[in-house]
């Protein structure tokens, strides 16, 4: 009788072990599937941003007869983005990848505001400066703006006053604040993301020994 009980317990233990192993394998398979889905979604978003950047550059460059094509960076180039936030923003592919990442986290308004400010500072026409200042204010600054950024009430009031007589420094304080937020929060998370890690991976080529 004790021997039969031992065999029964051993049988149950074996079934539980096999069941646990199957669950573990299923969980790993699900994790792998989710990872592939995330990377695929990233690539779709990245293609969209690169396409828009490419089209914009082509339109601007027709005057001088030049067109630019943006290629996927090498692992070494991608790794440079981790050295400084400015390195990432200065690279067209890196910027598009970062925008895709922020979009996936539903906080793309920060990089869009920063880019709008960069464009604003390059504006030469006083008329265009005023119209762009109002658009940036309506899109990102005023209460319940469609892409409202997270800045303090005092800065918002200062901007509201400054855009009445727009200058290139209207949004300087807000842009610095948003830059700091991205550098300290979003940038480290981007560097830890699956997509960035994939870009940094080196392709290993297996060479077969040649027979003599």
């Amino acid at each position: 009788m004790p021997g039969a009980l031992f065999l029964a317990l051993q049988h149950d233990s074996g079934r539980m072990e096999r069941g646990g192993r199957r669950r573990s394998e299923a969980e790993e398979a699900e994790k792998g599937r989710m990872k592939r889905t995330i990377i695929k979604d990233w690539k779709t978003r990245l293609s969209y941003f690169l396409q828009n950047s490419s089209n914009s550059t082509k339109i601007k460059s027709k005057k001088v007869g030049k067109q630019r094509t943006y290629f996927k960076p090498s692992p070494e180039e991608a790794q440079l983005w981790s050295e400084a936030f400015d390195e990432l923003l200065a690279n067209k592919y890196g910027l598009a990848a970062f925008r895709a990442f922020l979009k996936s986290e539903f906080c793309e308004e920060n990089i869009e505001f920063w880019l709008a400010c960069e464009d604003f500072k390059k504006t030469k026409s006083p008329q265009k400066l005023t119209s762009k200042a109002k658009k940036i204010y309506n899109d990102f600054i005023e209460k319940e703006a469609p892409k409202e950024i997270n800045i303090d009430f005092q800065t918002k009031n200062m901007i509201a006053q400054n855009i009445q007589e727009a200058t290139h420094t209207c949004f300087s304080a807000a842009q610095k604040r948003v830059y700091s937020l991205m550098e300290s929060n979003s940038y480290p998370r981007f560097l830890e993301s699956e997509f960035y890690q994939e870009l940094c991976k080196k392709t290993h080529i297996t060479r077969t020994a040649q027979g003599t």
Side-chain angles (χ1 to χ4, degrees), residues 5-71:
L5 179 60
F6 174 77
L7 288 173
L9 289 172
Q10 192 176 37
H11 180 67
D12 289 342
S13 176
R15 282 198 307 176
M16 289 176 66
E17 185 178 345
R18 287 193 298 273
R21 189 160 54 243
R22 283 195 294 269
R23 282 195 298 274
S24 178
E25 289 172 355
E27 288 172 359
E28 288 299 318
E30 178 64 16
K31 286 180 181 177
R33 187 188 66 78
M34 289 180 65
K35 180 179 178 180
R36 288 192 297 272
T37 301
I38 290 170
I39 292 174
K40 183 179 179 182
D41 182 57
W42 262 82
K43 287 179 178 178
T44 301
R45 295 178 190 276
L46 181 58
S47 295
Y48 167 78
F49 285 119
L50 287 173
Q51 184 65 37
N52 282 358
S53 298
S54 180
N55 288 342
S56 175
T57 304
K58 286 177 182 178
I59 292 171
K60 292 178 181 178
S61 61
K62 279 182 181 178
K63 295 178 182 178
V64 292
K66 293 181 180 179
Q67 293 185 0
R68 295 180 185 175
T69 303
Y70 304 110
F71 298 99

Side-chain angles (χ1 to χ4, degrees), residues 32-209:
R33 187 188 66 78
M34 289 180 65
K35 180 179 178 180
R36 288 192 297 272
T37 301
I38 290 170
I39 292 174
K40 183 179 179 182
D41 182 57
W42 262 82
K43 287 179 178 178
T44 301
R45 295 178 190 276
L46 181 58
S47 295
Y48 167 78
F49 285 119
L50 287 173
Q51 184 65 37
N52 282 358
S53 298
S54 180
N55 288 342
S56 175
T57 304
K58 286 177 182 178
I59 292 171
K60 292 178 181 178
S61 61
K62 279 182 181 178
K63 295 178 182 178
V64 292
K66 293 181 180 179
Q67 293 185 0
R68 295 180 185 175
T69 303
Y70 304 110
F71 298 99
K72 180 180 177 180
S74 67
E76 290 77 15
E77 289 172 323
Q79 286 167 9
L80 290 175
W81 304 345
S82 66
E83 294 184 1
F85 188 37
D86 285 337
E87 287 282 351
L88 174 65
L89 297 181
N91 183 282
K92 187 69 70 173
Y93 196 103
L95 176 60
F98 186 58
R99 289 182 70 186
F101 171 73
L102 291 182
K103 191 171 182 64
S104 73
E105 292 206 330
F106 304 101
C107 57
E108 66 269 27
E109 68 277 358
N110 287 332
I111 190 64
E112 288 184 12
F113 171 71
W114 186 85
L115 289 169
C117 289
E118 288 296 289
D119 176 69
F120 176 77
K121 290 187 292 187
K122 296 172 185 174
T123 305
K124 296 179 179 180
S125 166
Q127 290 78 15
K128 286 186 177 180
L129 199 68
T130 300
S131 63
K132 283 186 178 182
K134 290 180 179 178
K135 179 169 176 53
I136 292 173
Y137 181 82
N138 292 336
D139 287 348
F140 300 99
I141 307 298
E142 68 177 353
K143 187 177 180 180
E144 298 184 0
K147 302 176 186 178
E148 187 177 4
I149 58 172
N150 184 21
I151 56 174
D152 60 89
F153 181 74
Q154 184 178 359
T155 303
K156 285 190 175 189
N157 276 350
M158 182 176 67
I159 292 172
Q161 294 172 13
N162 289 343
I163 63 170
Q164 302 305 318
E165 295 181 9
T167 66
H168 290 95
T169 59
C170 279
F171 303 100
S172 294
Q175 188 182 17
K176 287 179 182 177
R177 169 65 176 161
V178 166
Y179 179 96
S180 179
L181 284 172
M182 291 192 295
E183 184 178 35
S184 60
N185 295 323
S186 304
Y187 175 54
R189 290 201 303 276
F190 169 76
L191 297 179
E192 294 174 359
S193 69
E194 295 280 3
F195 185 76
Y196 178 69
Q197 296 301 321
E198 285 290 320
L199 286 177
C200 292
K201 279 184 181 178
K202 293 182 180 180
T203 304
H204 296 287
I205 301 174
T206 304
R207 294 182 180 178
T208 56

